[in-house]
Amino acid sequence: MNWLTAPGHLLVCDLDGTLLRSDTSLSDAARDGLNRLVAAGVALTVASARSTAAMRPMLPGVDLGLPVIEHNGAYISDLRTGQHLVTNALDPAIAGRAVELLGDTIVTAWDGARDRVHFGPDLNPGAGWFIGEKRRYRDPRLTETADLRAVADREQVVMLCSYVPDEDAPAVAARVQEAVGEGARVWTALNSYSAGWSEVVVQSPLATKGAAILELRQRLDLHGEITVCGDHVNDLPMFAVADRRIAPANAQPEVRATASVVTGTNDDDGVVTYLTDQLAISRRATAE
């Protein structure tokens, strides 16, 4: 039996830079490959910094039946309905303090009835790209809000994301982390879609892809190996809990360094090609 279809095995793939091409599209070949994996009995889902509202139009025709991990582990959710099965929110005081320090930030939250993405009226080019992309696919969460600090007092904040010049990002992240202490996880990474602008992200310490994968595996009663596929530093927490780690050739250096397998690039559908090749090898071996 192949490791992909072994009892209790869980396969979790990142989206941007891994399954999606550099233009954020999912190729027809990748879609068909993912559906072949699901049809073969592979327990497959995705873990992304994106929301279910963003995932749905980016995964057209993909037959994903398992819950997905969104916002880097802030939520485990039903992809079709967007219902949150698990929520890892920031403490309101911590969220408020981080907003004060970051100033111009994007606040992702739950208002008790619906998901929200709050943003201010003045956007720098990095944040402008982020909001502009969501306007293009008519993201229903977008909410222009003058007082972002007040959001932390009235809603469950699951993520803060500021876009700052690349050279400033490490210092900004360090200053926020020092202020919030162990009450939040602060990290920074280059944004491949907006040159010159890095993300500074603030989330609950519980909101990681790795922690979410372990929670999801328990909920699904899967007790076999874990295989993960990713390219970005926010994928390292799920690499840490995996038995098998797959990265495309375009992955960031620290991700490639910890990978068990490096495939072709995302623009060549390297990860899906590798996975479907492994499935085909298994089927040939069984037939022989």
Side-chain angles (χ1 to χ4, degrees):
M1 178 176 290
N2 184 265
W3 53 269
L4 276 166
T5 54
H9 177 263
L10 177 63
L11 172 63
V12 184
C13 293
D14 170 57
L15 285 181
D16 291 83
T18 303
L19 296 183
L20 302 182
R21 294 188 168 186
S22 297
D23 62 0
T24 72
S25 68
L26 183 75
S27 73
D28 290 345
R31 177 202 63 214
D32 293 344
L34 292 172
N35 283 334
R36 284 199 296 276
L37 293 169
V38 173
V42 177
L44 167 67
T45 191
V46 297
S48 176
R50 292 183 180 273
S51 67
T52 53
M55 292 182 203
R56 284 191 291 271
M58 292 178 171
L59 294 168
V62 178
D63 185 23
L64 285 182
L66 299 184
V68 299
I69 295 165
E70 59 174 325
H71 295 317
N72 299 314
Y75 296 125
I76 298 174
S77 305
D78 182 288
L79 178 61
R80 183 180 60 83
T81 65
Q83 178 187 3
H84 304 310
L85 309 176
V86 175
T87 299
N88 292 307
L90 284 161
D91 176 88
I94 294 292
R97 179 62 176 142
V99 170
E100 291 170 356
L101 289 168
L102 290 170
D104 182 19
T105 189
I106 295 165
V107 183
T108 302
W110 169 256
D111 71 1
R114 55 177 288 194
D115 291 312
R116 299 280 187 179
V117 173
H118 296 273
F119 62 97
D122 299 318
L123 300 174
N124 63 35
W129 164 83
F130 180 90
I131 298 301
E133 183 202 47
K134 284 159 181 55
R135 282 174 171 155
R136 285 192 293 276
Y137 62 76
R138 296 182 176 85
D139 193 322
R141 303 172 302 147
L142 289 178
T143 308
E144 185 168 335
T145 303
D147 186 358
L148 295 172
R149 173 63 182 83
V151 175
D153 294 329
R154 65 175 185 262
E155 299 182 18
Q156 280 190 317
V157 175
V158 297
M159 184 167 69
L160 305 175
C161 182
S162 282
Y163 286 83
V164 301
D166 292 341
E167 62 273 16
D168 298 335
V172 171
R175 185 170 68 250
V176 176
Q177 186 70 79
E178 182 179 8
V180 299
E182 296 181 355
R185 185 173 68 97
V186 185
W187 52 276
T188 182
L190 297 174
N191 184 283
S192 59
Y193 298 125
S194 188
W197 295 89
S198 287
E199 301 169 352
V200 175
V201 180
V202 183
Q203 293 190 272
S204 163
L206 301 176
T208 72
K209 290 185 179 183
I213 285 173
L214 296 179
E215 173 71 23
L216 179 61
R217 181 171 70 159
Q218 182 176 355
R219 283 175 167 262
L220 297 174
D221 197 27
L222 298 174
H223 303 290
E225 291 186 337
I226 298 171
T227 298
V228 300
C229 311
D231 74 302
H232 200 273
V233 293
N234 66 332
D235 295 318
L236 290 174
M238 70 176 183
F239 273 43
V241 303
D243 300 285
R244 189 176 292 101
R245 301 163 298 282
I246 300 169
N250 55 280
Q252 296 182 352
E254 53 266 64
V255 177
R256 291 199 307 273
T258 59
S260 310
V261 175
V262 177
T263 72
T265 69
N266 64 321
D267 287 324
D268 293 324
D269 299 326
V271 166
V272 176
T273 298
Y274 172 79
L275 293 170
T276 53
D277 283 351
Q278 295 303 300
L279 188 64
I281 290 169
S282 172
R283 286 176 168 171
R284 287 198 297 270
T286 301
E288 293 169 356

